[in-house]
Amino acid sequence: MAELAATHGEGLGRLVVVNWAPEAIGLVRALQGLGAASLVLIGTHAAAAVEASLVAARARGSVEYLAASVGDGVEVFAEFLGRAASVATAGSVIVLPHRGRGETDAFSRLTCTAIHRACRGQPPRIVVAVEDPEATHEFAGLGVTTIFYPGFLRAALLAHACLDLGVLRFMLALLRGGLRVQSWPLPPELRERSFRDACLAVETDPEGRPVTLLGLFDAERTMVVNPGPGRSLAGATGLLVLTGQDT
Amino acid sequence: MGTGREGQVAGDMAGSGSRRWSGWLVAGLVLLTGGVAGAEPARFGTGSKGGDYDLLGAALAADLEAAGTGLTLATETTKGSCENIRRLLDGTLDFALVQYDVAAEAYRASQAHGTEADTRLGGWMCKVSPKLAREAELRLISAVSDSAVHMLVRRPVRLADLDAIGLAPIFIGKDGSGSFETARVILGASGHPLEHLQLFTGSADEALEAMGRRELLMMMRTTSRGHADVQDVLDSGLAALNPLPEDVINRLIDGYPYYRVCPIEPKHYRGGLEYSLPTVCVSAVLLTAMPRAKVGDVRAEAAQDVAVGQLLDALGRVAADPQQHALGLEPRFRDFAEKEPIPLHHAAAQRERRANWTGALEGAAALLGLGLLLWLLRRALRRRGIATGFGFEGQLSNPLVPFAAFVLVVVCSTYVVWWLEHDSNTRLRTLNDSFWEMNTFATGNFSAEALKTSGARLIGAVATILGLGLLAWFTAALTNIFAQDQTRLWRRTHEHLVVLNFREDMLPLIRLLRSPGPTRLRSLHVVVPDALPKRVRLQLGKIKALTIHYDNPEAPENLGVLRLPRASRVIVLGGGSSGLGGGEASSYDPLRIARAVHQACARDPHNLALQGKSGHAGRELTVATSWSPGEQATRVPLQLPVTLVETSEAEPDEIFEPFSGWLIPVDSQQLGYTWLATACRDPAFAEFFSGIVAFSDANAEVYTVPLPAAWQGQSWRALRRALYGVTAPERGAGAVPLGLYRASLSEQTRRPSAHADLRTRLLINPPHDTMVAAGDLLVGLSEDEAALRQIVRHLRLPA
């Protein structure tokens, strides 16, 4: 399994967070906790006003704060992102809701438009947090990878808690980093085998820790979770693996 | 004395205006002077010797003689009603007993006009000519008894209609008797004139003998119900009573409305009848007549008034005499026939009015008495503090009210329609018939065919409309009860879910809890703060099976109604965290709510019973609290619900440490940030997590299910390998084993409770040599919970 370990990356690299505010210091902690090497925070607050909240974060790693907003104009903001934040070279960009100026998700969309232009149509991974799930479709064509609806996350966690505490524990383990969902390449010797064969073959990670095969990625790179033991791996482009332990 | 022989006295006094007063004066004079004393006896026509009429005449004569009223009856045996009516009209009888159909036909004959009619015998009963009928004015004194038409048919023959008689010999009585005349019109109503029938000419006894020889098919007699002769025939087994065909009865009454529909009941003939038979009844009436020439003669009228009064007195006495019970006397002035054309005699009419007044006064007194009784009863109940108000608005949802009203409508309409039509409608012979007919009407099946008169149809229509309305009310009330029951079901406080301090952005939580799945069947109680916008409350109100409580969740007493110790889960929401990157001020503090939950549980009756006086609830509110040594160790633990509290960065998990045994803090905002960070690190995480959280259609839902006991002591490696080899038999989907959810060792020594879930350990990706222990649950990915259970059920241990 040594070759598998070499294929999945560790750490977050450099990240850009747009519409950041001191109230979201928890995000900084979470990113640093997962190994973010460098953070660029962009917000509307004056730099002096956020310095106090960033002291602890800066002790843990590189954190740069820039004051700017898409409210200045999409073109101006795009130019700023490209020039001052080097957004095109970031590993990921997180767009937080920007409250206080009209409809929050509309501003997030303008922000994504600016990022898209700053990267000349080749943006890095963009993760957007929205407040209204109905606004999801508005982000089509802007290179957004993931749209996150925090309200649904809270509701879903509590609803699962009402149903099955074991499942809630599993989800919390996924969220808190004890467990990881990773994509591994498909070993050549398994290409003509079934999903059951792959499950029996992939039982540990390169360090010998137990893992669980959750599913696969088909020829179109579509994730297929729990495809069934008889599913052939022919045409599969990767494996979906659950790693880590939670006790 | 005889009214027919009375001299013409004071004929000129017969002025129309003063006739009544002068009549009274003369009548008084007649009485004062001994009126009828010493006068000639009144001629009283009865019937054949030994018959009912003859016996009644003799009884009346004897009574009058015994009473010494001065009126003497000279009873004369006759051939029956025909002779009696003729002799009344020609003045050779003063009083007579006549069958009412014969009398009414004679009266109708007297109304005929034209000299041509006078010279012919015509077709009236007993061949009474109009000329004869006009010679005297018939006056009804009273109906005395009832007779029913009995159609006795030789066994085992049963006649569906009278056409079946054909040319078979039949007996209908002696010509000249009322029975003969009645049978004649009945056969006529069936389309059979007597000329075309073979009539048996002989006495009734001879007819019976002929029937015994099978020479006679049918006998028709009009006699009182329960007559001994008929009972004898039935007992002999020679013949059975046959119902009169319904169409014949209807046609008969349409043409001769002097009859009325009446049933012959089983009670009338012991052992001779199983069911009620429809037939027609006709009354015997006591008649008098005033020659036309003397009509208006004050003296003659007064003398007749006195005689009629004494005769009515005698009739009443004889009817009340138990020894005369066999005569079956039922004196009546009205309501003995469908139509009663003969006018009531003046003296009889006076008695009728007096009786009506007496009846009305008695009825009013009874009503007054009843009202007084109810008033006294109500006052007594009120003094005892028992509520007596009806409270109509409160009764609207009581199905007994429309049901009782429906019964009242049916009962009232039953009686009224029966009263209107029982004499003429063969379908409403008895109250029982009328009751079921009215039930049909009141349930919406109105039929104009069932009723004959406009009055009855109107009552039927009203009963139909009222019945439909009341049934609708009844149905609505029942539906309301079921709905309330359902509401109560959804409001039950056992294994329920409670959400405290609800806020707008948690509407998705409610939707998820009400989406298809196990939690959908649990009652859901949501406590909302005052600050929650009205639009959100309205939205919550539309969600089925959700109870909203408008209370302050920080006050333990407000949470008592929620019976929290019996709740499946309690969720305490933060006050204002509505998204990432910022929050609003919290209206209620989650920690204070958690304390309130604890206090409310301590005050719950169930925990109070467990704790006793030394428990948490026994501690009074005071300035300071002292803990005695070892007090905590001896305490019985409270039953507390598994509670999830939404916390924030400002409230670290540590502040909830005192509640760690039953409370799980969930910092959802921080979890959101972690989610974002993880999504940046692991590209597959976001899609996978969304799939399992949102119960997507893929086979990617996470469940925990118990493992069979046979797997205890087996390795995780063996278990997971076995799971990979099985698919759900009915669905074909597989399962992905993730790990075990293990009960803590300490839990095994304690009584089971909801807290067991909190003292368990999640083992995801456990080492392969981990042994499955008792109570372990399998955590796995599958299509749904049922599929995972199926797969586990079909697991086979390794060889």
Side-chain angles (χ1 to χ4, degrees):
Chain A
M1 293 295 139
E3 69 277 17
L4 291 178
T7 58
H8 64 84
E10 294 290 340
L12 291 168
R14 193 172 74 88
L15 283 101
V16 176
V17 181
V18 187
N19 296 330
W20 186 84
E23 293 82 10
I25 191 65
L27 175 61
V28 176
R29 279 201 300 271
L31 291 168
Q32 289 181 324
L34 291 182
S38 171
L39 292 175
V40 177
L41 310 178
I42 301 171
T44 55
H45 290 71
V50 302
E51 281 306 312
S53 60
L54 289 174
V55 171
R58 284 193 168 124
R60 292 192 292 267
S62 168
V63 178
E64 182 183 6
Y65 179 79
L66 303 171
S69 166
V70 76
D72 302 331
V74 174
E75 292 302 329
V76 174
F77 192 55
E79 189 273 333
F80 172 81
L81 288 173
R83 173 178 48 80
S86 303
V87 70
T89 60
S92 299
V93 179
I94 297 174
V95 180
L96 294 177
H98 176 49
R99 294 197 180 84
R101 295 198 61 173
E103 209 283 320
T104 307
D105 295 330
F107 270 82
S108 296
R109 184 176 61 80
L110 293 178
T111 302
C112 291
T113 305
I115 296 168
H116 196 255
R117 290 182 185 173
C119 300
R120 304 182 189 281
Q122 298 293 324
R125 169 178 301 278
I126 301 177
V127 182
V128 183
V130 298
E131 292 198 335
D132 183 3
E134 304 300 326
T136 304
H137 70 279
E138 296 172 18
F139 293 87
L142 298 178
V144 175
T145 312
T146 305
I147 297 176
F148 174 50
Y149 176 38
F152 185 79
L153 174 70
R154 285 193 297 273
L157 287 175
L158 294 172
H160 277 283
C162 292
L163 185 62
D164 191 332
L165 281 178
V167 177
L168 173 72
R169 285 289 175 101
F170 173 69
M171 290 175 178
L172 292 178
L174 279 173
L175 283 170
R176 288 168 175 163
L179 300 173
R180 293 186 64 180
V181 180
Q182 297 180 321
S183 54
W184 286 8
L186 180 66
E189 65 271 20
L190 295 176
R191 290 190 189 283
E192 302 305 322
R193 312 294 290 273
S194 65
F195 181 71
R196 177 174 181 272
D197 295 331
C199 290
L200 297 176
V202 182
E203 289 189 315
T204 57
D205 66 4
E207 286 75 37
R209 292 174 299 218
V211 299
T212 300
L213 199 54
L214 298 172
L216 51 85
F217 294 91
D218 63 11
E220 287 77 36
R221 293 293 301 170
T222 303
M223 182 190 292
V224 184
V225 179
N226 186 17
R231 168 72 181 261
S232 170
L233 296 181
T237 55
L239 298 174
L240 185 69
V241 184
L242 179 70
T243 64
Q245 282 77 40
D246 185 83
T247 60
Chain B
M1 186 211 92
T3 54
R5 299 174 187 177
E6 202 65 52
Q8 187 168 355
V9 181
D12 296 335
M13 292 173 64
S16 60
S18 59
R19 181 171 295 167
R20 178 177 295 178
W21 292 107
S22 58
W24 280 107
L25 285 172
V26 172
L29 186 63
V30 167
L31 283 172
L32 286 172
T33 56
V36 293
E40 294 179 28
R43 295 159 300 174
F44 192 94
T46 57
S48 58
K49 194 166 183 59
D52 288 346
Y53 288 2
D54 187 42
L55 294 175
L56 176 56
L60 289 173
D63 180 87
L64 285 168
E65 187 175 354
T69 57
L71 175 63
T72 308
L73 290 186
T75 57
E76 297 182 18
T77 55
T78 63
K79 290 181 180 177
S81 292
C82 285
E83 183 182 340
N84 287 352
I85 196 70
R86 286 172 163 280
R87 291 184 60 184
L88 270 178
L89 291 170
D90 66 14
T92 55
L93 284 178
D94 300 318
F95 301 99
L97 291 165
V98 182
Q99 203 166 275
Y100 191 70
D101 49 349
V102 172
E105 282 275 292
Y107 181 81
R108 281 186 65 188
S110 72
Q111 309 293 308
H113 298 286
T115 53
E116 191 175 330
D118 289 352
T119 56
R120 294 182 181 178
L121 292 177
W124 305 108
M125 278 187 180
C126 301
K127 299 174 183 173
V128 172
S129 69
K131 183 172 184 296
L132 175 62
R134 274 201 287 267
E135 285 187 8
E137 185 179 285
L138 290 175
R139 293 169 179 181
L140 177 71
I141 298 174
S142 173
V144 292
S145 63
D146 253 357
S147 295
V149 174
H150 291 68
M151 192 162 83
L152 289 157
V153 180
R154 191 180 70 222
R155 296 182 69 194
V157 178
R158 301 289 288 173
L159 298 179
D161 57 62
L162 296 182
D163 294 339
I165 294 172
L167 293 175
I170 60 172
F171 174 74
I172 61 171
K174 288 184 178 178
D175 192 3
S177 68
S179 181
F180 181 89
E181 291 297 324
T182 301
R184 189 168 70 86
V185 293
I186 288 174
L187 291 166
S190 67
H192 296 287
L194 291 187
E195 298 77 22
H196 297 162
L197 297 172
Q198 190 178 345
L199 299 180
F200 181 86
T201 53
S203 68
D205 291 340
E206 290 169 346
L208 201 57
E209 288 174 9
M211 186 173 277
R213 297 192 301 271
R214 300 189 168 277
E215 293 173 1
L216 196 69
L217 177 65
M218 184 264 283
M219 295 173 67
M220 195 174 281
R221 291 190 63 180
T222 303
T223 185
S224 59
R225 286 174 287 184
H227 198 278
D229 289 351
V230 178
Q231 181 72 59
D232 290 344
V233 173
L234 296 176
D235 289 345
S236 72
L238 280 176
L241 280 168
N242 200 95
L244 277 184
E246 191 174 309
D247 55 336
V248 172
I249 293 175
N250 285 332
R251 281 199 293 271
L252 174 71
I253 292 180
D254 287 347
Y256 299 87
Y258 323 116
Y259 303 97
R260 67 176 198 279
V261 179
C262 66
I264 300 174
E265 305 283 356
K267 67 181 179 184
H268 294 130
Y269 297 104
R270 63 183 189 285
L273 208 58
E274 297 296 333
Y275 302 103
S276 169
L277 291 182
T279 187
V280 290
C281 285
V282 63
S283 289
V285 294
L286 181 56
L287 286 180
T288 186
M290 179 65 75
R292 290 284 170 190
K294 292 186 180 177
V295 172
D297 181 335
V298 175
R299 189 174 181 102
E301 296 279 5
Q304 193 181 59
D305 284 355
V306 172
V308 166
Q310 291 173 344
L311 204 49
L312 282 170
D313 291 339
L315 187 61
R317 288 191 294 271
V318 172
D321 185 357
Q323 291 182 342
Q324 305 294 346
H325 183 71
L327 292 174
L329 295 182
E330 279 184 80
R332 280 187 291 178
F333 296 120
R334 305 274 179 200
D335 301 329
F336 52 86
E338 173 68 9
K339 286 189 178 175
E340 296 150 7
I342 304 174
L344 202 57
H345 190 278
H346 172 242
Q350 276 188 331
R351 296 207 175 199
E352 184 196 26
R353 282 196 293 275
R354 195 186 312 154
N356 288 345
W357 267 108
T358 306
L361 287 174
E362 286 174 353
L367 279 176
L368 197 63
L370 182 66
L372 187 65
L373 188 67
L374 288 174
W375 181 76
L376 289 172
L377 182 67
R378 188 182 180 205
R379 201 174 69 161
L381 289 173
R382 278 191 167 184
R383 283 185 176 180
R384 295 188 177 206
I386 302 171
T388 54
F390 179 68
F392 182 75
E393 288 182 4
Q395 300 297 328
L396 281 174
S397 57
N398 183 355
L400 290 178
V401 173
F403 183 76
F406 182 85
V407 172
L408 189 67
V409 166
V410 170
V411 168
C412 291
S413 59
T414 293
Y415 184 77
V416 174
V417 168
W418 174 83
W419 182 71
L420 287 172
E421 295 215 339
H422 74 282
D423 287 343
S424 60
N425 193 336
T426 53
R427 296 176 69 166
L428 301 170
R429 299 190 307 271
T430 62
L431 277 171
N432 186 50
D433 295 338
S434 181
F435 174 75
W436 294 115
E437 198 68 55
M438 284 302 105
N439 263 300
T440 309
F441 275 56
T443 49
N445 300 293
F446 180 83
S447 166
E449 304 296 322
L451 305 175
K452 293 176 74 171
T453 62
S454 299
R457 285 174 178 169
L458 181 65
I459 296 294
V462 171
T464 304
I465 294 166
L466 283 177
L468 284 174
L470 291 169
L471 283 178
W473 180 2
F474 179 73
T475 309
L478 276 186
T479 308
N480 187 38
I481 284 177
F482 293 143
Q484 284 179 347
D485 276 353
Q486 193 182 33
T487 303
R488 276 195 285 273
L489 183 70
W490 286 119
R491 285 183 179 176
R492 68 187 185 276
T493 49
H494 181 68
E495 290 293 310
H496 53 300
L497 304 171
V498 179
V499 180
L500 301 174
N501 198 26
F502 182 81
R503 64 170 190 270
E504 181 177 5
D505 68 316
M506 292 309 283
L507 278 172
L509 170 64
I510 304 298
R511 291 197 191 101
L512 280 172
L513 292 176
R514 281 290 159 261
S515 60
T519 63
R520 192 180 195 179
L521 301 175
R522 292 183 185 171
S523 58
L524 179 57
H525 296 256
V526 180
V527 179
V528 301
D530 295 336
L532 191 72
K534 186 180 177 184
R535 57 184 165 78
V536 184
R537 297 183 188 191
L538 292 175
Q539 203 166 349
L540 281 178
K542 292 177 185 174
I543 297 171
K544 194 177 176 183
L546 183 146
T547 309
I548 305 174
H549 303 263
Y550 300 99
D551 276 321
N552 173 5
E554 291 181 357
E557 53 270 23
N558 292 342
L559 306 182
V561 295
L562 297 172
R563 304 301 305 272
L564 293 176
R566 305 197 304 179
S568 170
R569 294 284 189 279
V570 175
I571 296 172
V572 179
L573 297 178
S577 177
S578 58
L580 297 176
E584 298 161 14
S586 170
S587 55
Y588 295 110
D589 186 78
L591 180 61
R592 287 200 294 269
I593 296 174
R595 287 185 192 132
V597 169
H598 187 271
Q599 284 298 311
C601 289
R603 295 174 187 179
D604 188 80
H606 182 70
N607 272 322
L608 285 176
L610 287 176
Q611 296 288 310
K613 289 184 178 178
S614 62
H616 303 251
R619 205 172 277 284
E620 297 293 333
L621 191 64
T622 182
V623 176
T625 300
S626 303
W627 293 95
S628 58
E631 185 180 349
Q632 282 180 299
T634 58
R635 269 189 178 176
V636 179
L638 280 177
Q639 283 224 328
L640 292 155
V642 175
T643 303
L644 293 109
V645 177
E646 192 186 32
T647 62
S648 64
E649 192 178 5
E651 294 165 322
D653 291 357
E654 288 73 17
I655 68 169
F656 293 98
E657 185 60 31
F659 311 115
S660 60
W662 53 279
L663 186 145
I664 304 173
V666 179
D667 184 353
S668 56
Q669 191 178 46
Q670 186 57 41
L671 287 173
Y673 293 140
T674 309
W675 193 98
L676 283 170
T678 309
C680 292
R681 184 186 65 175
D682 298 325
F685 163 80
E687 187 176 351
F688 174 75
F689 191 90
S690 298
I692 61 171
V693 154
F695 299 103
S696 62
D697 291 336
N699 301 330
E701 295 176 10
V702 184
Y703 294 98
T704 59
V705 296
L707 285 165
W711 281 91
Q712 291 174 20
Q714 299 289 327
S715 69
W716 168 248
R717 183 194 302 276
L719 175 61
R720 70 190 294 268
R721 289 193 170 192
L723 283 165
Y724 284 132
V726 183
T727 56
E730 295 173 9
R731 303 157 189 252
V736 173
L738 300 173
L740 296 170
Y741 195 50
R742 170 158 295 178
S744 66
L745 291 175
S746 62
E747 185 59 28
Q748 294 175 7
T749 60
R750 303 175 64 153
R751 59 186 171 79
S753 74
H755 299 180
D757 280 335
L758 298 178
R759 285 187 282 271
T760 52
R761 292 189 303 162
L762 183 68
L763 305 176
I764 298 295
N765 287 338
H768 291 150
D769 56 355
T770 302
M771 294 300 172
V772 176
D776 279 359
L777 303 177
L778 171 70
V779 184
L781 274 174
S782 65
E783 182 182 358
D784 54 32
E785 188 178 10
L788 188 59
R789 286 183 186 278
Q790 276 188 351
I791 288 170
V792 168
R793 206 162 42 239
H794 288 85
L795 276 181
R796 289 185 180 178
L797 285 170

